[in-house]
Amino acid sequence: MKSKIREIYENCVVALLWCLCYLFGILPRCVRYGVFAPFVSFVLRRVVRYRYDVIMRQLRESFPQRSESELQDICNKYYDHLAEMIVGTLSLAAMNDKKRAKSTEFNLTSGFDRVIEGRNVVVLTSHYGFWEIALNLYLYTPNHHLVVAYRPLTSRIMDKLYARLRSYDRVDVVASKLFMRHYVANRHGIDGRNLVVGLISDQNCPITKGCCWHRFLNHDSLFFDGGEQLALKFGLPVFYLELERLGAGRYRHNYTQIFDGSEEVKPHEITERYVRCLERTIERQPEYWMWSHKRWKVVPDKESQFYDNYKTEV
């Protein structure tokens, strides 16, 4: 009985929050991004100083060659970006296909559309830019079903809210621990459509068999290699997706093929290619990566056998 009451309560709260997000999302764009976003940025930077020490410490460690004034400038721009992401997330409830299309451009010079025709494909992206907008890929791939892995949030209410905000046609958002099972069960297609597998592969990774070490932004860093394992097991092409900011809430999808699905590669080489692509993206415009996350919680124990799995060529 208690669990049923709790479920009803959570659903009511989620419905209320979704309605508030919808009301915010229908406000004029100039109000959301021209008034609300700068205000949120000011509060984060000047009033709350949200994770300022974490941001600056990680910037200093990642870019030791840059001056303190340069790093401070990146930090300030990051707060502006974080405010834009908050606005973008709240606006998702009021988004439809027409509005999503206006917020997204697709750069397909890499031959992405040709490669994916009639087959499944893996797309690796990151916490760079407004990653929620990566789901807009479904607008360009009517013959594919997008399946995306995510890590459930600790708060059940927020987890349910995000699930509703991410509820698109031809898009399945699947918890990471269930993802491989979901793919295997549907690898021959969903509703007659092939699959695009979307993975955010730069999340904090614990020391497990599903991770490998790579040198990244001046740190020994753990990365999930689930995308690589999926590609090798089922012979899938792999693309790196870079989200290029065009303006407030507007992004271009840039795709770079990093594996053709059949070539011979060394262990962890596909993930290494992804890491190098991501590093170049961040070095070009670092303010759009999630610096407020504690990225390097795990320090490698160079005496352990697990660390021996590390060395990819840099």
Side-chain angles (χ1 to χ4, degrees):
M1 185 63 179
K2 287 184 178 180
S3 61
K4 186 66 175 177
I5 294 174
R6 179 185 178 186
E7 185 76 15
I8 294 173
Y9 167 76
E10 289 177 351
N11 290 341
C12 289
V13 174
V14 169
L16 175 61
L17 291 174
W18 189 89
C19 288
L20 292 174
C21 289
Y22 179 83
L23 291 173
F24 178 81
I26 62 176
L27 289 174
R29 179 183 177 84
C30 61
V31 174
R32 288 180 286 127
Y33 286 102
V35 178
F36 189 77
F39 172 74
V40 172
S41 177
F42 174 80
V43 171
L44 292 173
R45 180 171 61 248
R46 301 297 185 190
V47 180
V48 180
R49 289 177 65 84
Y50 176 69
R51 293 197 172 187
Y52 175 80
D53 291 340
V54 172
I55 296 168
M56 288 303 296
R57 173 174 54 79
Q58 295 189 146
L59 284 172
R60 291 186 187 106
E61 292 175 352
S62 299
F63 304 113
Q65 74 283 8
R66 301 201 186 194
S67 68
E68 190 69 12
S69 62
E70 286 180 296
L71 298 178
Q72 187 63 61
D73 183 57
I74 293 170
C75 180
N76 290 336
K77 289 179 179 177
Y78 172 71
Y79 283 121
D80 292 338
H81 168 61
L82 189 57
E84 277 191 11
M85 285 201 301
I86 293 171
V87 170
T89 301
L90 295 176
S91 301
L92 289 175
M95 296 289 278
N96 53 32
D97 285 359
K98 185 177 180 179
K99 291 180 179 179
R100 292 183 185 117
K102 286 183 177 179
S103 69
T104 313
E105 291 184 11
F106 294 95
N107 177 7
L108 301 169
T109 55
S110 63
F112 177 80
D113 50 348
R114 173 182 52 78
V115 172
I116 71 171
E117 185 175 354
R119 67 191 303 187
N120 297 345
V121 64
V122 175
V123 174
L124 302 181
T125 189
S126 66
H127 289 94
Y128 185 89
F130 182 41
W131 56 88
E132 296 291 345
I133 216 167
L135 295 179
N136 289 356
L137 174 60
Y138 82 95
L139 294 170
Y140 188 81
T141 55
N143 297 321
H144 283 74
H145 197 97
L146 181 57
V147 182
V148 180
Y150 85 105
R151 186 183 298 180
L153 301 174
T154 304
S155 167
R156 286 165 53 93
I157 289 175
M158 294 306 297
D159 194 56
K160 289 182 178 181
L161 177 62
Y162 266 89
R164 186 167 179 179
L165 291 173
R166 293 164 171 164
S167 179
Y168 299 0
D169 291 334
R170 294 184 288 105
V171 177
D172 289 345
V173 181
V174 183
S176 299
K177 64 181 181 181
L178 303 175
F179 191 81
M180 183 61 78
R181 186 186 307 170
H182 182 85
Y183 177 81
V184 171
N186 296 284
R187 67 186 183 278
H188 298 301
I190 296 176
D191 296 330
R193 296 182 176 90
N194 292 104
L195 306 183
V196 174
V197 176
L199 301 172
I200 294 180
S201 298
D202 67 333
Q203 301 185 62
N204 287 321
C205 181
I207 297 182
T208 64
K209 293 181 70 174
C211 293
C212 52
W213 292 99
H214 296 266
R215 191 66 181 172
F216 172 69
L217 293 177
N218 204 37
H219 295 81
D220 287 333
S221 309
L222 272 177
F223 281 82
F224 286 104
D225 66 351
E228 174 171 327
Q229 298 307 317
L230 195 67
L232 293 174
K233 184 171 183 177
F234 295 101
L236 307 180
V238 180
F239 282 83
Y240 166 69
L241 168 59
E242 175 190 77
L243 294 172
E244 178 188 355
R245 183 181 181 276
L246 301 176
R250 295 185 60 247
Y251 283 84
R252 178 184 291 122
H253 288 211
N254 297 316
Y255 294 92
T256 301
Q257 187 169 3
I258 58 176
F259 180 63
D260 66 8
S262 60
E263 66 178 296
E264 292 291 329
V265 292
K266 299 176 182 178
H268 312 305
E269 184 175 342
I270 298 173
T271 306
E272 171 69 9
R273 293 175 184 177
Y274 161 78
V275 171
R276 298 281 72 80
C277 287
L278 175 59
E279 188 172 58
R280 286 192 293 271
T281 296
I282 295 171
E283 288 176 342
R284 190 160 52 245
Q285 287 186 295
E287 60 268 26
Y288 299 128
W289 198 51
M290 280 294 287
W291 293 101
S292 53
H293 285 190
K294 293 183 179 179
R295 290 292 176 179
W296 292 281
K297 293 180 181 179
V298 181
V299 178
D301 178 2
K302 298 184 180 181
E303 302 302 319
S304 71
Q305 285 187 325
F306 185 81
Y307 189 76
D308 291 340
N309 290 338
Y310 178 56
K311 202 76 168 153
T312 51
E313 294 295 328
V314 178

